[in-house]
Amino acid sequence: MNLIAHKRSLLISALILLLLPLLLQSMGNFWVRIADFALLYVLLALGLNIVVGFAGLLDLGFVAFFAIGAYMYGLMASPHLAENFAWFAQMFPDGLHTPIWLVIPLSALLAGILGVLLGAPTLKLRGDYLAIVTLGFGEIIRVFLNNLDHPVNITNGPKGLGQIDSISIAGLNLGKRLDIGFMELSSVTLYYYLFLALVLVSYLVCSRLERSRIGRAWMAIREDEIAAKAMGINTVNMKLLAFGMGATFGGVSGSMFAAFQGFISPESFSLMESVMIVAMVVLGGIGHLPGVILGAVLLSALPEVLRWVSGLLDLQAATGGRLDASILRQLLIALAMIIVMLLRPRGLWPSPENGKSLYKSG
């Protein structure tokens, strides 16, 4: 009976996810864009959960891998390189327009390699010290991207990269509307289904990792690294694998972000983005995949919903211009996070396995 109820709930959830963009599209593409960005942040949060939730390594520079994936796609799918390098223009006069089936593996590979390179010098660090080093790494990447426009213009500096190609799959350009006869699907709706497919694949990979020997080794390191090493676990390799695996998710999400936006700049990858991704994992429930997804959806959608509410109620005019709507929005988000952490210190949807031994012993 439980199995039947479980299958029924899965079917209902699948129908809701498939029909959601169609319902939101009827209210305006603004709401579909919110759902698109929520899925991108879910992908990022699932990747960071491998590092923070499974392996217990506090990473505050995760947005660096997001930026690396975005700039890799931006350079490989825009005329920027052809416009700035004569030798490149001779080989590719119209620029390098890379297909998605090549971009996703390359973005994941590059971000994964850089994740391992980040993890290598931080193997002996824990807690606050590890957080400070990863925070510095994230800022270094952003500063590099902001200054690599001279003497050789690689990233176009603070002006950012534009004219980035939208994604095409089997001749279907996701950057254009699709008319299927009885309804018209907007570009943001098409991207929704692509992002949803990536999230489902990522969730399957993470759930398999969690139940594998690798996942159990990560959790042993998270609980007690010394005990894990005494039990024969190669903590060095496991930590590097966690950094590399988590970074691949950031690289893929960054490439999708660049294709979706059509424009990227270093300002999109600030420290606050890293902090928000960590908050999504902690707020939802560290190490629990459904909780991480819930935290990512709430924290990514809440600011935009509050933006709509503040515009609808015209709060700035109601206070005589004394209260800026953006400041009020940030205040409400911060207040909501404080309340949740006070009332639910383990997150909104914590793992049911956490604390079992405590309850049994009590």
mmCIF file of all heavy atoms in Angstrom, residues 238-289:
data_model
loop_
_atom_site.group_PDB
_atom_site.id
_atom_site.type_symbol
_atom_site.label_atom_id
_atom_site.label_comp_id
_atom_site.label_asym_id
_atom_site.label_seq_id
_atom_site.Cartn_x
_atom_site.Cartn_y
_atom_site.Cartn_z
ATOM 1 N N MET A 238 39.154 11.255 -0.949
ATOM 2 C CA MET A 238 37.722 11.488 -0.786
ATOM 3 C C MET A 238 37.399 12.983 -0.768
ATOM 4 O O MET A 238 36.406 13.429 -1.341
ATOM 5 C CB MET A 238 37.224 10.825 0.507
ATOM 6 C CG MET A 238 37.144 9.314 0.455
ATOM 7 S SD MET A 238 35.956 8.696 -0.772
ATOM 8 C CE MET A 238 37.063 8.172 -2.079
ATOM 9 N N LYS A 239 38.256 13.766 -0.111
ATOM 10 C CA LYS A 239 38.040 15.213 -0.088
ATOM 11 C C LYS A 239 38.198 15.821 -1.481
ATOM 12 O O LYS A 239 37.395 16.662 -1.919
ATOM 13 C CB LYS A 239 39.015 15.883 0.880
ATOM 14 C CG LYS A 239 38.665 15.724 2.341
ATOM 15 C CD LYS A 239 39.654 16.513 3.184
ATOM 16 C CE LYS A 239 39.341 16.443 4.649
ATOM 17 N NZ LYS A 239 40.284 17.250 5.452
ATOM 18 N N LEU A 240 39.238 15.396 -2.197
ATOM 19 C CA LEU A 240 39.447 15.904 -3.558
ATOM 20 C C LEU A 240 38.289 15.516 -4.462
ATOM 21 O O LEU A 240 37.849 16.304 -5.303
ATOM 22 C CB LEU A 240 40.765 15.361 -4.117
ATOM 23 C CG LEU A 240 42.048 15.890 -3.472
ATOM 24 C CD1 LEU A 240 43.261 15.223 -4.099
ATOM 25 C CD2 LEU A 240 42.155 17.402 -3.624
ATOM 26 N N LEU A 241 37.784 14.303 -4.286
ATOM 27 C CA LEU A 241 36.649 13.857 -5.094
ATOM 28 C C LEU A 241 35.405 14.684 -4.787
ATOM 29 O O LEU A 241 34.629 15.023 -5.694
ATOM 30 C CB LEU A 241 36.385 12.378 -4.825
ATOM 31 C CG LEU A 241 35.286 11.719 -5.667
ATOM 32 C CD1 LEU A 241 35.622 11.804 -7.154
ATOM 33 C CD2 LEU A 241 35.087 10.268 -5.251
ATOM 34 N N ALA A 242 35.208 15.027 -3.516
ATOM 35 C CA ALA A 242 34.053 15.850 -3.140
ATOM 36 C C ALA A 242 34.146 17.234 -3.774
ATOM 37 O O ALA A 242 33.162 17.742 -4.338
ATOM 38 C CB ALA A 242 33.971 15.971 -1.616
ATOM 39 N N PHE A 243 35.328 17.859 -3.704
ATOM 40 C CA PHE A 243 35.501 19.172 -4.330
ATOM 41 C C PHE A 243 35.278 19.091 -5.839
ATOM 42 O O PHE A 243 34.616 19.958 -6.433
ATOM 43 C CB PHE A 243 36.908 19.709 -4.041
ATOM 44 C CG PHE A 243 37.028 20.464 -2.757
ATOM 45 C CD1 PHE A 243 37.745 19.949 -1.689
ATOM 46 C CD2 PHE A 243 36.418 21.701 -2.609
ATOM 47 C CE1 PHE A 243 37.857 20.649 -0.492
ATOM 48 C CE2 PHE A 243 36.520 22.414 -1.426
ATOM 49 C CZ PHE A 243 37.247 21.879 -0.361
ATOM 50 N N GLY A 244 35.840 18.059 -6.460
ATOM 51 C CA GLY A 244 35.705 17.923 -7.911
ATOM 52 C C GLY A 244 34.279 17.649 -8.345
ATOM 53 O O GLY A 244 33.768 18.266 -9.287
ATOM 54 N N MET A 245 33.591 16.723 -7.645
ATOM 55 C CA MET A 245 32.213 16.384 -8.006
ATOM 56 C C MET A 245 31.283 17.573 -7.806
ATOM 57 O O MET A 245 30.430 17.865 -8.631
ATOM 58 C CB MET A 245 31.741 15.204 -7.158
ATOM 59 C CG MET A 245 32.299 13.857 -7.570
ATOM 60 S SD MET A 245 31.671 13.314 -9.176
ATOM 61 C CE MET A 245 29.929 13.146 -8.816
ATOM 62 N N GLY A 246 31.442 18.267 -6.678
ATOM 63 C CA GLY A 246 30.598 19.436 -6.441
ATOM 64 C C GLY A 246 30.815 20.523 -7.466
ATOM 65 O O GLY A 246 29.861 21.164 -7.932
ATOM 66 N N ALA A 247 32.076 20.730 -7.854
ATOM 67 C CA ALA A 247 32.389 21.788 -8.818
ATOM 68 C C ALA A 247 31.789 21.520 -10.185
ATOM 69 O O ALA A 247 31.429 22.464 -10.909
ATOM 70 C CB ALA A 247 33.904 21.943 -8.948
ATOM 71 N N THR A 248 31.652 20.250 -10.571
ATOM 72 C CA THR A 248 31.070 19.945 -11.886
ATOM 73 C C THR A 248 29.635 20.471 -11.994
ATOM 74 O O THR A 248 29.233 20.964 -13.050
ATOM 75 C CB THR A 248 31.080 18.429 -12.149
ATOM 76 O OG1 THR A 248 30.354 17.764 -11.111
ATOM 77 C CG2 THR A 248 32.492 17.883 -12.201
ATOM 78 N N PHE A 249 28.887 20.373 -10.917
ATOM 79 C CA PHE A 249 27.518 20.895 -10.922
ATOM 80 C C PHE A 249 27.517 22.403 -11.135
ATOM 81 O O PHE A 249 26.681 22.949 -11.861
ATOM 82 C CB PHE A 249 26.818 20.544 -9.609
ATOM 83 C CG PHE A 249 26.448 19.103 -9.470
ATOM 84 C CD1 PHE A 249 27.398 18.156 -9.155
ATOM 85 C CD2 PHE A 249 25.141 18.693 -9.652
ATOM 86 C CE1 PHE A 249 27.068 16.822 -9.016
ATOM 87 C CE2 PHE A 249 24.784 17.355 -9.519
ATOM 88 C CZ PHE A 249 25.754 16.415 -9.209
ATOM 89 N N GLY A 250 28.463 23.091 -10.473
ATOM 90 C CA GLY A 250 28.569 24.539 -10.645
ATOM 91 C C GLY A 250 28.924 24.913 -12.067
ATOM 92 O O GLY A 250 28.387 25.885 -12.613
ATOM 93 N N GLY A 251 29.825 24.160 -12.710
ATOM 94 C CA GLY A 251 30.205 24.443 -14.087
ATOM 95 C C GLY A 251 29.051 24.277 -15.055
ATOM 96 O O GLY A 251 28.822 25.119 -15.940
ATOM 97 N N VAL A 252 28.293 23.196 -14.904
ATOM 98 C CA VAL A 252 27.138 22.964 -15.783
ATOM 99 C C VAL A 252 26.083 24.042 -15.581
ATOM 100 O O VAL A 252 25.532 24.591 -16.543
ATOM 101 C CB VAL A 252 26.543 21.567 -15.522
ATOM 102 C CG1 VAL A 252 25.241 21.381 -16.293
ATOM 103 C CG2 VAL A 252 27.546 20.485 -15.912
ATOM 104 N N SER A 253 25.800 24.383 -14.327
ATOM 105 C CA SER A 253 24.808 25.422 -14.043
ATOM 106 C C SER A 253 25.250 26.772 -14.612
ATOM 107 O O SER A 253 24.423 27.532 -15.137
ATOM 108 C CB SER A 253 24.592 25.530 -12.537
ATOM 109 O OG SER A 253 23.606 26.490 -12.233
ATOM 110 N N GLY A 254 26.551 27.080 -14.534
ATOM 111 C CA GLY A 254 27.051 28.345 -15.079
ATOM 112 C C GLY A 254 26.889 28.429 -16.585
ATOM 113 O O GLY A 254 26.511 29.481 -17.123
ATOM 114 N N SER A 255 27.151 27.334 -17.294
ATOM 115 C CA SER A 255 26.987 27.346 -18.752
ATOM 116 C C SER A 255 25.521 27.541 -19.129
ATOM 117 O O SER A 255 25.202 28.248 -20.099
ATOM 118 C CB SER A 255 27.533 26.047 -19.353
ATOM 119 O OG SER A 255 26.839 24.926 -18.872
ATOM 120 N N MET A 256 24.615 26.935 -18.360
ATOM 121 C CA MET A 256 23.184 27.121 -18.624
ATOM 122 C C MET A 256 22.752 28.558 -18.337
ATOM 123 O O MET A 256 21.926 29.127 -19.053
ATOM 124 C CB MET A 256 22.362 26.155 -17.766
ATOM 125 C CG MET A 256 22.572 24.681 -18.070
ATOM 126 S SD MET A 256 22.137 24.217 -19.774
ATOM 127 C CE MET A 256 23.763 24.149 -20.530
ATOM 128 N N PHE A 257 23.328 29.142 -17.300
ATOM 129 C CA PHE A 257 23.023 30.535 -16.960
ATOM 130 C C PHE A 257 23.443 31.476 -18.087
ATOM 131 O O PHE A 257 22.693 32.393 -18.458
ATOM 132 C CB PHE A 257 23.743 30.903 -15.660
ATOM 133 C CG PHE A 257 23.667 32.356 -15.288
ATOM 134 C CD1 PHE A 257 22.521 32.885 -14.745
ATOM 135 C CD2 PHE A 257 24.764 33.204 -15.479
ATOM 136 C CE1 PHE A 257 22.446 34.228 -14.397
ATOM 137 C CE2 PHE A 257 24.702 34.539 -15.138
ATOM 138 C CZ PHE A 257 23.537 35.053 -14.593
ATOM 139 N N ALA A 258 24.636 31.257 -18.649
ATOM 140 C CA ALA A 258 25.119 32.112 -19.741
ATOM 141 C C ALA A 258 24.234 31.984 -20.969
ATOM 142 O O ALA A 258 23.907 32.988 -21.622
ATOM 143 C CB ALA A 258 26.567 31.745 -20.085
ATOM 144 N N ALA A 259 23.825 30.764 -21.296
ATOM 145 C CA ALA A 259 22.960 30.562 -22.463
ATOM 146 C C ALA A 259 21.593 31.185 -22.245
ATOM 147 O O ALA A 259 21.006 31.763 -23.164
ATOM 148 C CB ALA A 259 22.834 29.070 -22.756
ATOM 149 N N PHE A 260 21.089 31.090 -21.036
ATOM 150 C CA PHE A 260 19.757 31.613 -20.725
ATOM 151 C C PHE A 260 19.730 33.137 -20.731
ATOM 152 O O PHE A 260 18.819 33.760 -21.280
ATOM 153 C CB PHE A 260 19.325 31.075 -19.358
ATOM 154 C CG PHE A 260 17.953 31.514 -18.933
ATOM 155 C CD1 PHE A 260 16.839 31.179 -19.678
ATOM 156 C CD2 PHE A 260 17.785 32.259 -17.770
ATOM 157 C CE1 PHE A 260 15.565 31.579 -19.279
ATOM 158 C CE2 PHE A 260 16.531 32.660 -17.369
ATOM 159 C CZ PHE A 260 15.422 32.315 -18.116
ATOM 160 N N GLN A 261 20.758 33.748 -20.138
ATOM 161 C CA GLN A 261 20.807 35.197 -20.045
ATOM 162 C C GLN A 261 21.245 35.853 -21.354
ATOM 163 O O GLN A 261 20.774 36.940 -21.696
ATOM 164 C CB GLN A 261 21.769 35.617 -18.937
ATOM 165 C CG GLN A 261 21.280 35.364 -17.539
ATOM 166 C CD GLN A 261 20.198 36.343 -17.127
ATOM 167 O OE1 GLN A 261 19.012 36.114 -17.388
ATOM 168 N NE2 GLN A 261 20.580 37.431 -16.501
ATOM 169 N N GLY A 262 22.185 35.232 -22.067
ATOM 170 C CA GLY A 262 22.733 35.840 -23.276
ATOM 171 C C GLY A 262 23.762 36.908 -22.984
ATOM 172 O O GLY A 262 24.347 37.490 -23.903
ATOM 173 N N PHE A 263 24.016 37.165 -21.711
ATOM 174 C CA PHE A 263 25.001 38.165 -21.295
ATOM 175 C C PHE A 263 25.505 37.793 -19.903
ATOM 176 O O PHE A 263 24.716 37.404 -19.036
ATOM 177 C CB PHE A 263 24.395 39.565 -21.262
ATOM 178 C CG PHE A 263 25.322 40.610 -20.690
ATOM 179 C CD1 PHE A 263 26.300 41.188 -21.479
ATOM 180 C CD2 PHE A 263 25.215 40.994 -19.358
ATOM 181 C CE1 PHE A 263 27.172 42.141 -20.947
ATOM 182 C CE2 PHE A 263 26.070 41.945 -18.822
ATOM 183 C CZ PHE A 263 27.057 42.511 -19.620
ATOM 184 N N ILE A 264 26.808 37.914 -19.691
ATOM 185 C CA ILE A 264 27.391 37.657 -18.371
ATOM 186 C C ILE A 264 28.426 38.728 -18.060
ATOM 187 O O ILE A 264 29.051 39.286 -18.960
ATOM 188 C CB ILE A 264 28.055 36.266 -18.291
ATOM 189 C CG1 ILE A 264 29.036 36.065 -19.450
ATOM 190 C CG2 ILE A 264 27.017 35.164 -18.263
ATOM 191 C CD1 ILE A 264 29.822 34.780 -19.375
ATOM 192 N N SER A 265 28.590 39.013 -16.785
ATOM 193 C CA SER A 265 29.613 39.946 -16.324
ATOM 194 C C SER A 265 30.076 39.491 -14.945
ATOM 195 O O SER A 265 29.369 38.728 -14.262
ATOM 196 C CB SER A 265 29.066 41.377 -16.250
ATOM 197 O OG SER A 265 28.165 41.508 -15.158
ATOM 198 N N PRO A 266 31.248 39.933 -14.496
ATOM 199 C CA PRO A 266 31.742 39.502 -13.177
ATOM 200 C C PRO A 266 30.813 39.846 -12.026
ATOM 201 O O PRO A 266 30.861 39.188 -10.976
ATOM 202 C CB PRO A 266 33.077 40.243 -13.051
ATOM 203 C CG PRO A 266 33.506 40.505 -14.461
ATOM 204 C CD PRO A 266 32.244 40.747 -15.217
ATOM 205 N N GLU A 267 29.974 40.859 -12.193
ATOM 206 C CA GLU A 267 29.088 41.262 -11.107
ATOM 207 C C GLU A 267 28.044 40.200 -10.784
ATOM 208 O O GLU A 267 27.425 40.238 -9.718
ATOM 209 C CB GLU A 267 28.383 42.580 -11.470
ATOM 210 C CG GLU A 267 29.334 43.754 -11.628
ATOM 211 C CD GLU A 267 30.191 43.966 -10.387
ATOM 212 O OE1 GLU A 267 29.631 43.934 -9.274
ATOM 213 O OE2 GLU A 267 31.416 44.144 -10.525
ATOM 214 N N SER A 268 27.820 39.269 -11.712
ATOM 215 C CA SER A 268 26.841 38.203 -11.466
ATOM 216 C C SER A 268 27.382 37.126 -10.535
ATOM 217 O O SER A 268 26.631 36.235 -10.130
ATOM 218 C CB SER A 268 26.424 37.558 -12.798
ATOM 219 O OG SER A 268 25.856 38.507 -13.667
ATOM 220 N N PHE A 269 28.677 37.201 -10.203
ATOM 221 C CA PHE A 269 29.310 36.125 -9.441
ATOM 222 C C PHE A 269 30.001 36.688 -8.199
ATOM 223 O O PHE A 269 31.163 36.395 -7.934
ATOM 224 C CB PHE A 269 30.304 35.375 -10.331
ATOM 225 C CG PHE A 269 29.735 35.009 -11.675
ATOM 226 C CD1 PHE A 269 30.109 35.709 -12.814
ATOM 227 C CD2 PHE A 269 28.798 34.003 -11.790
ATOM 228 C CE1 PHE A 269 29.578 35.393 -14.046
ATOM 229 C CE2 PHE A 269 28.254 33.673 -13.023
ATOM 230 C CZ PHE A 269 28.644 34.374 -14.158
ATOM 231 N N SER A 270 29.283 37.482 -7.464
ATOM 232 C CA SER A 270 29.831 38.137 -6.277
ATOM 233 C C SER A 270 29.828 37.183 -5.083
ATOM 234 O O SER A 270 29.268 36.075 -5.129
ATOM 235 C CB SER A 270 29.004 39.383 -5.938
ATOM 236 O OG SER A 270 27.670 39.012 -5.624
ATOM 237 N N LEU A 271 30.447 37.635 -4.003
ATOM 238 C CA LEU A 271 30.502 36.845 -2.777
ATOM 239 C C LEU A 271 29.110 36.554 -2.237
ATOM 240 O O LEU A 271 28.862 35.466 -1.692
ATOM 241 C CB LEU A 271 31.336 37.590 -1.729
ATOM 242 C CG LEU A 271 31.357 36.994 -0.317
ATOM 243 C CD1 LEU A 271 31.972 35.601 -0.340
ATOM 244 C CD2 LEU A 271 32.105 37.913 0.625
ATOM 245 N N MET A 272 28.200 37.507 -2.396
ATOM 246 C CA MET A 272 26.849 37.303 -1.885
ATOM 247 C C MET A 272 26.177 36.093 -2.513
ATOM 248 O O MET A 272 25.372 35.403 -1.870
ATOM 249 C CB MET A 272 26.012 38.571 -2.124
ATOM 250 C CG MET A 272 24.613 38.518 -1.527
ATOM 251 S SD MET A 272 24.591 38.101 0.240
ATOM 252 C CE MET A 272 25.443 39.511 0.913
ATOM 253 N N GLU A 273 26.501 35.809 -3.782
ATOM 254 C CA GLU A 273 25.935 34.629 -4.435
ATOM 255 C C GLU A 273 26.391 33.354 -3.724
ATOM 256 O O GLU A 273 25.595 32.441 -3.504
ATOM 257 C CB GLU A 273 26.349 34.597 -5.909
ATOM 258 C CG GLU A 273 25.695 35.671 -6.764
ATOM 259 C CD GLU A 273 24.197 35.490 -6.873
ATOM 260 O OE1 GLU A 273 23.750 34.349 -7.071
ATOM 261 O OE2 GLU A 273 23.467 36.483 -6.738
ATOM 262 N N SER A 274 27.675 33.288 -3.383
ATOM 263 C CA SER A 274 28.187 32.124 -2.661
ATOM 264 C C SER A 274 27.502 31.976 -1.309
ATOM 265 O O SER A 274 27.129 30.864 -0.900
ATOM 266 C CB SER A 274 29.702 32.249 -2.446
ATOM 267 O OG SER A 274 30.420 31.773 -3.545
ATOM 268 N N VAL A 275 27.338 33.084 -0.621
ATOM 269 C CA VAL A 275 26.701 33.048 0.700
ATOM 270 C C VAL A 275 25.261 32.555 0.580
ATOM 271 O O VAL A 275 24.790 31.745 1.398
ATOM 272 C CB VAL A 275 26.747 34.438 1.349
ATOM 273 C CG1 VAL A 275 25.941 34.467 2.641
ATOM 274 C CG2 VAL A 275 28.186 34.850 1.624
ATOM 275 N N MET A 276 24.563 33.010 -0.452
ATOM 276 C CA MET A 276 23.171 32.597 -0.643
ATOM 277 C C MET A 276 23.075 31.108 -0.955
ATOM 278 O O MET A 276 22.155 30.421 -0.492
ATOM 279 C CB MET A 276 22.524 33.418 -1.752
ATOM 280 C CG MET A 276 22.226 34.853 -1.376
ATOM 281 S SD MET A 276 21.076 34.989 0.017
ATOM 282 C CE MET A 276 19.578 34.365 -0.730
ATOM 283 N N ILE A 277 24.017 30.578 -1.731
ATOM 284 C CA ILE A 277 23.986 29.148 -2.061
ATOM 285 C C ILE A 277 24.228 28.320 -0.805
ATOM 286 O O ILE A 277 23.569 27.299 -0.582
ATOM 287 C CB ILE A 277 25.022 28.821 -3.156
ATOM 288 C CG1 ILE A 277 24.727 29.620 -4.427
ATOM 289 C CG2 ILE A 277 24.996 27.330 -3.494
ATOM 290 C CD1 ILE A 277 25.842 29.568 -5.448
ATOM 291 N N VAL A 278 25.187 28.756 0.030
ATOM 292 C CA VAL A 278 25.411 28.067 1.301
ATOM 293 C C VAL A 278 24.160 28.149 2.172
ATOM 294 O O VAL A 278 23.764 27.163 2.817
ATOM 295 C CB VAL A 278 26.625 28.669 2.037
ATOM 296 C CG1 VAL A 278 26.765 28.068 3.433
ATOM 297 C CG2 VAL A 278 27.901 28.452 1.246
ATOM 298 N N ALA A 279 23.515 29.313 2.196
ATOM 299 C CA ALA A 279 22.298 29.482 2.993
ATOM 300 C C ALA A 279 21.190 28.554 2.509
ATOM 301 O O ALA A 279 20.404 28.044 3.323
ATOM 302 C CB ALA A 279 21.833 30.942 2.926
ATOM 303 N N MET A 280 21.114 28.325 1.205
ATOM 304 C CA MET A 280 20.097 27.411 0.661
ATOM 305 C C MET A 280 20.289 26.004 1.213
ATOM 306 O O MET A 280 19.324 25.337 1.603
ATOM 307 C CB MET A 280 20.177 27.385 -0.869
ATOM 308 C CG MET A 280 19.742 28.660 -1.549
ATOM 309 S SD MET A 280 20.102 28.635 -3.309
ATOM 310 C CE MET A 280 19.606 30.303 -3.781
ATOM 311 N N VAL A 281 21.548 25.556 1.246
ATOM 312 C CA VAL A 281 21.842 24.209 1.744
ATOM 313 C C VAL A 281 21.535 24.111 3.238
ATOM 314 O O VAL A 281 20.908 23.151 3.702
ATOM 315 C CB VAL A 281 23.312 23.843 1.458
ATOM 316 C CG1 VAL A 281 23.661 22.498 2.068
ATOM 317 C CG2 VAL A 281 23.580 23.822 -0.042
ATOM 318 N N VAL A 282 21.958 25.122 3.997
ATOM 319 C CA VAL A 282 21.770 25.090 5.455
ATOM 320 C C VAL A 282 20.298 25.266 5.802
ATOM 321 O O VAL A 282 19.765 24.568 6.680
ATOM 322 C CB VAL A 282 22.622 26.182 6.125
ATOM 323 C CG1 VAL A 282 22.347 26.235 7.621
ATOM 324 C CG2 VAL A 282 24.095 25.938 5.853
ATOM 325 N N LEU A 283 19.627 26.187 5.138
ATOM 326 C CA LEU A 283 18.231 26.478 5.447
ATOM 327 C C LEU A 283 17.342 25.285 5.132
ATOM 328 O O LEU A 283 16.413 24.978 5.886
ATOM 329 C CB LEU A 283 17.767 27.700 4.649
ATOM 330 C CG LEU A 283 16.370 28.233 4.982
ATOM 331 C CD1 LEU A 283 16.401 28.954 6.316
ATOM 332 C CD2 LEU A 283 15.880 29.184 3.895
ATOM 333 N N GLY A 284 17.615 24.604 4.014
ATOM 334 C CA GLY A 284 16.781 23.470 3.640
ATOM 335 C C GLY A 284 17.024 22.256 4.522
ATOM 336 O O GLY A 284 16.085 21.565 4.917
ATOM 337 N N GLY A 285 18.281 21.989 4.829
ATOM 338 C CA GLY A 285 18.621 20.816 5.630
ATOM 339 C C GLY A 285 19.898 20.194 5.093
ATOM 340 O O GLY A 285 19.866 19.533 4.052
ATOM 341 N N ILE A 286 21.008 20.396 5.784
ATOM 342 C CA ILE A 286 22.315 19.951 5.295
ATOM 343 C C ILE A 286 22.324 18.436 5.090
ATOM 344 O O ILE A 286 21.958 17.671 5.984
ATOM 345 C CB ILE A 286 23.423 20.353 6.283
ATOM 346 C CG1 ILE A 286 23.543 21.873 6.369
ATOM 347 C CG2 ILE A 286 24.762 19.770 5.873
ATOM 348 C CD1 ILE A 286 24.582 22.360 7.344
ATOM 349 N N GLY A 287 22.729 18.025 3.885
ATOM 350 C CA GLY A 287 22.872 16.612 3.591
ATOM 351 C C GLY A 287 21.609 15.908 3.166
ATOM 352 O O GLY A 287 21.666 14.753 2.747
ATOM 353 N N HIS A 288 20.453 16.567 3.240
ATOM 354 C CA HIS A 288 19.184 15.946 2.863
ATOM 355 C C HIS A 288 18.734 16.535 1.529
ATOM 356 O O HIS A 288 18.421 17.728 1.443
ATOM 357 C CB HIS A 288 18.130 16.199 3.939
ATOM 358 C CG HIS A 288 16.899 15.377 3.764
ATOM 359 N ND1 HIS A 288 15.640 15.856 4.022
ATOM 360 C CD2 HIS A 288 16.730 14.088 3.344
ATOM 361 C CE1 HIS A 288 14.757 14.909 3.785
ATOM 362 N NE2 HIS A 288 15.398 13.834 3.367
ATOM 363 N N LEU A 289 18.725 15.719 0.480
ATOM 364 C CA LEU A 289 18.482 16.230 -0.867
ATOM 365 C C LEU A 289 17.136 16.935 -1.023
ATOM 366 O O LEU A 289 17.089 18.034 -1.589
ATOM 367 C CB LEU A 289 18.610 15.086 -1.880
ATOM 368 C CG LEU A 289 20.009 14.460 -1.995
ATOM 369 C CD1 LEU A 289 20.007 13.319 -2.999
ATOM 370 C CD2 LEU A 289 21.038 15.503 -2.391
#
